[in-house]
Amino acid sequence: MHISRSFLGSSKVKAAGLLAAGALALTACGGGAPAPAASSSGSVSLINAGKLTVCSDIPYEPFEYQKDGKIVGFDIDIANELAKDLNAELNVVDSSFEAIETGTALTGCDVSISSISITDTRKNVMDFSDPYLNDDLTLVASDASGITNIDSAKGKKVGVQQATTGAAYAKDKGLDAQQFEDTGLLVQALKAGTIDAALGNQSVLGYAIKDDTKFKRVENYATGEKLGISIKKGNTAMAEKVNATLKRLTDDGTLKKLETTYFGEAAK
């Protein structure tokens, strides 16, 4: 489970009716309200003239967050590449994740890019691009712990976030894991040394340790969780454009470089 994005919903609640009332529009360069007129970019119709309007739930590091007055992150880098391929300016709308996961956000945005796990339930109300990130589980441990895989973690102090697939996986594998209310507390415990290892989604834990040489991802576990870009149901022209951009980023190695930048090196 991608923590707070798969079945737990948003990690924060934004004001109800945000989208209906007119969500705060932000561009990657900062500022700028969306234009009211629709336009076409090739065979793709855009809601706002000359702009690719993207709904995203901000902040959610490292996928989307503000830094030095700009919206940045893994998802935003992908959104910028899509806008470039459409010859359009990127316009990011800060929306609640509830609006994004129910498809409501797509009434005011061309696409939603916000660490959205692809599920059958969501497919009923929106279409998805090809997956752009496999958000599998990973086991993170310190070098001093002596943990090299899940078997060697038995008998050690392993932490998980409660009510996640990470917690369920640890239980299935016979780990008596300590449960934490959120990932922030889990990471704090790992870095403070009160637990020896943490088990959870690679996106969150990989980001948490990517610049800390004391920790490493010792083992990954394929759970089939994948992130995709959501598109208004039936908008095949946009889906084709989005998938073409994702294919380009995959083929030229850009997507892999972004993964390493934001989430660190994968377990070997």
Side-chain angles (χ1 to χ4, degrees), residues 87-152:
N87 195 28
E89 177 188 354
L90 176 62
N91 186 57
V92 181
V93 174
D94 185 8
S95 176
S96 71
F97 193 72
E98 181 181 4
I100 289 170
E101 72 166 349
T102 59
T104 307
L106 292 172
T107 61
C109 290
D110 298 303
V111 297
S112 291
I113 308 178
S114 192
S115 178
I116 311 166
S117 295
I118 300 171
T119 68
D120 289 338
T121 299
R122 290 171 183 169
K123 285 180 180 179
N124 289 327
V125 294
M126 66 189 80
D127 289 337
F128 279 100
S129 68
D130 294 334
Y132 65 89
L133 182 70
N134 296 326
D135 201 10
D136 292 327
L137 298 177
T138 191
L139 180 65
V140 170
S142 66
D143 290 328
S145 70
I147 296 173
T148 57
N149 54 39
I150 203 157
D151 288 332
S152 62

Side-chain angles (χ1 to χ4, degrees), residues 81-82 84-85 243-253:
E81 292 294 331
L82 177 57
K84 183 173 71 175
D85 286 351
N243 285 334
T245 294
L246 292 177
K247 185 178 187 304
R248 173 177 67 79
L249 297 179
T250 299
D251 291 348
D252 67 13

